[in-house]
Amino acid sequence: MKKSLVVVLGGFGLVLLIFASLSWYFNQKMHEKQALLVKLDDLSTQVQDHKDWMEHITNQKIWYDSIAKNEIEYRRKNSFSHELIRQNVTEVFSSNKEVERELLSMLDDLLLTEDRILNDISKIGFKEYGYIGKMREVIHQVEETFPEFDQQILSLRRHEKDYIMRNDENYAESLHKEMENWQARGNCPPELILYLQYFDSVRSRMQILFAIPNRNHYSNWSLNVASVQSNLRRFRGEFIRESYSLSNDSLTMQYIISGIAFLALIIGSVYIIKNITIQVSRLQRSMNEFISSNYQDFESISPQLPKNEIGQISIQFLKMAGKSNGMFIYWKIVYPDEPMPCMRRMFNWKNSMLK
């Protein structure tokens, strides 16, 4: 009986141990995927913040003077931001070197394009620095030196500002046309030639930065950033699918192990109940045979009893029954008219209770 219980309980315990081990494994894997997902979301947020910063300083021309004055500082800040992004990429994709190399290569291209953008902006300037600062310094000197040309200079300045604010080539062409007409009249101040050179330098940098179709630095940068973000979104989707797959596998495993444990419990219970039933039936048959033999045929009945706790209890009980029967037969032969002492005590106790 003990062996049966040990086997059944041991098997059930083994199933529970396997269940706990597999549950720990799947939970650990899901935790790792979720941790990577959190880091990937942080990385995506970091890339978006960097993108917003670059768009702000590129599209808001009020920053151009600051960049022209502190270009090295802006480059250092940009490189530091990239270094943090690269560290997070390495941490998130350390298990997939191919993806890591792909993203780092894209970030290298992105950094190169951003350095070009910062260089263009620093060359352009806005008020006091860059080509715009030099251009306006020249035109202010011309205004002071030739006040009689205020109307012509004002017209040039209007085209200049419209071009810088709108980046529209029509305004640049209008400025060039006015300069050509003025030079054709023969009274154009020679300093305006330098002014036009600075304006063309601004124009050239603006075209490189924004206007050249499919080759300007800003559109290339936008495409690179969009590509990085698209890849991060794709990898995030893969992480979510893997986490979902692990969750489904864990749930399926739990159903399977629970079914096995339930089936093992039923089989074990049926086995124990059947075993006990068989042993009880054998015990009952043996006791009936022993009683039929007038408590004498113990030796022939003993081997039929089960070799376990039930059998041992039965053997002791049969021995006791045989001894008790022998004492009863002996007393009746010697003292046929006298009840046994135990019966006498019981009779006296009954009489005392009746009184």
Short mmCIF file of all heavy atoms in Angstrom, two decimals, residues 290 295 317-329:
data_model
loop_
_atom_site.label_atom_id
_atom_site.label_comp_id
_atom_site.label_asym_id
_atom_site.label_seq_id
_atom_site.Cartn_x
_atom_site.Cartn_y
_atom_site.Cartn_z
N PHE A 290 -11.80 -18.83 7.21
CA PHE A 290 -11.26 -19.08 8.55
C PHE A 290 -12.38 -19.35 9.54
O PHE A 290 -12.29 -20.24 10.40
CB PHE A 290 -10.42 -17.88 9.00
CG PHE A 290 -9.73 -18.06 10.32
CD1 PHE A 290 -8.78 -19.06 10.51
CD2 PHE A 290 -10.05 -17.24 11.40
CE1 PHE A 290 -8.15 -19.21 11.73
CE2 PHE A 290 -9.43 -17.39 12.61
CZ PHE A 290 -8.47 -18.38 12.79
N TYR A 295 -12.14 -21.49 13.05
CA TYR A 295 -10.96 -20.78 13.54
C TYR A 295 -9.75 -21.70 13.69
O TYR A 295 -8.87 -21.47 14.52
CB TYR A 295 -11.24 -20.10 14.89
CG TYR A 295 -12.43 -19.19 14.87
CD1 TYR A 295 -13.66 -19.62 15.35
CD2 TYR A 295 -12.33 -17.91 14.34
CE1 TYR A 295 -14.77 -18.81 15.30
CE2 TYR A 295 -13.45 -17.08 14.30
CZ TYR A 295 -14.65 -17.54 14.78
OH TYR A 295 -15.74 -16.73 14.74
N PHE A 317 -5.20 -10.14 13.67
CA PHE A 317 -6.59 -10.34 14.09
C PHE A 317 -6.97 -11.81 14.07
O PHE A 317 -7.63 -12.31 15.01
CB PHE A 317 -7.52 -9.53 13.16
CG PHE A 317 -8.97 -9.76 13.45
CD1 PHE A 317 -9.58 -9.15 14.54
CD2 PHE A 317 -9.73 -10.60 12.64
CE1 PHE A 317 -10.92 -9.37 14.82
CE2 PHE A 317 -11.07 -10.82 12.91
CZ PHE A 317 -11.67 -10.20 14.00
N LEU A 318 -6.55 -12.56 13.02
CA LEU A 318 -6.89 -13.98 12.93
C LEU A 318 -6.21 -14.78 14.04
O LEU A 318 -6.78 -15.72 14.61
CB LEU A 318 -6.49 -14.52 11.56
CG LEU A 318 -7.30 -13.97 10.36
CD1 LEU A 318 -6.76 -14.53 9.07
CD2 LEU A 318 -8.77 -14.28 10.51
N LYS A 319 -4.98 -14.42 14.35
CA LYS A 319 -4.30 -15.10 15.46
C LYS A 319 -5.03 -14.87 16.77
O LYS A 319 -5.23 -15.79 17.57
CB LYS A 319 -2.86 -14.60 15.56
CG LYS A 319 -1.94 -15.12 14.48
CD LYS A 319 -0.54 -14.60 14.69
CE LYS A 319 0.41 -15.15 13.63
NZ LYS A 319 1.80 -14.68 13.85
N MET A 320 -5.43 -13.62 16.99
CA MET A 320 -6.16 -13.30 18.21
C MET A 320 -7.49 -14.03 18.26
O MET A 320 -7.91 -14.57 19.29
CB MET A 320 -6.40 -11.79 18.30
CG MET A 320 -7.10 -11.35 19.58
SD MET A 320 -7.39 -9.58 19.59
CE MET A 320 -8.60 -9.46 18.30
N ALA A 321 -8.16 -14.09 17.08
CA ALA A 321 -9.44 -14.80 17.02
C ALA A 321 -9.24 -16.29 17.32
O ALA A 321 -10.05 -16.93 18.01
CB ALA A 321 -10.08 -14.62 15.67
N GLY A 322 -8.16 -16.88 16.79
CA GLY A 322 -7.90 -18.30 17.05
C GLY A 322 -7.64 -18.57 18.51
O GLY A 322 -8.14 -19.54 19.08
N LYS A 323 -6.85 -17.69 19.12
CA LYS A 323 -6.56 -17.87 20.55
C LYS A 323 -7.83 -17.71 21.38
O LYS A 323 -8.10 -18.46 22.32
CB LYS A 323 -5.51 -16.86 20.99
CG LYS A 323 -4.12 -17.18 20.43
CD LYS A 323 -3.11 -16.16 20.91
CE LYS A 323 -1.72 -16.46 20.34
NZ LYS A 323 -0.73 -15.48 20.81
N SER A 324 -8.62 -16.71 21.06
CA SER A 324 -9.85 -16.50 21.81
C SER A 324 -10.79 -17.70 21.66
O SER A 324 -11.41 -18.16 22.64
CB SER A 324 -10.56 -15.23 21.33
OG SER A 324 -9.74 -14.12 21.50
N ASN A 325 -10.88 -18.26 20.47
CA ASN A 325 -11.74 -19.42 20.26
C ASN A 325 -11.23 -20.64 21.03
O ASN A 325 -11.99 -21.42 21.61
CB ASN A 325 -11.83 -19.73 18.77
CG ASN A 325 -12.81 -20.86 18.47
OD1 ASN A 325 -13.97 -20.76 18.83
ND2 ASN A 325 -12.32 -21.94 17.88
N GLY A 326 -9.89 -20.81 21.06
CA GLY A 326 -9.32 -21.92 21.81
C GLY A 326 -9.62 -21.82 23.30
O GLY A 326 -9.96 -22.82 23.97
N MET A 327 -9.50 -20.63 23.85
CA MET A 327 -9.81 -20.43 25.28
C MET A 327 -11.27 -20.72 25.55
O MET A 327 -11.64 -21.32 26.57
CB MET A 327 -9.47 -18.99 25.67
CG MET A 327 -7.96 -18.71 25.69
SD MET A 327 -7.63 -17.00 26.08
CE MET A 327 -8.35 -16.90 27.72
N PHE A 328 -12.15 -20.31 24.61
CA PHE A 328 -13.59 -20.54 24.80
C PHE A 328 -13.91 -22.04 24.81
O PHE A 328 -14.67 -22.54 25.66
CB PHE A 328 -14.37 -19.83 23.68
CG PHE A 328 -15.85 -20.02 23.75
CD1 PHE A 328 -16.60 -19.33 24.70
CD2 PHE A 328 -16.49 -20.92 22.90
CE1 PHE A 328 -17.97 -19.52 24.78
CE2 PHE A 328 -17.85 -21.10 22.99
CZ PHE A 328 -18.60 -20.39 23.94
N ILE A 329 -13.30 -22.78 23.87
CA ILE A 329 -13.54 -24.25 23.81
C ILE A 329 -13.02 -24.94 25.06
O ILE A 329 -13.67 -25.81 25.66
CB ILE A 329 -12.89 -24.85 22.55
CG1 ILE A 329 -13.58 -24.28 21.28
CG2 ILE A 329 -12.94 -26.36 22.54
CD1 ILE A 329 -12.89 -24.63 19.99
#
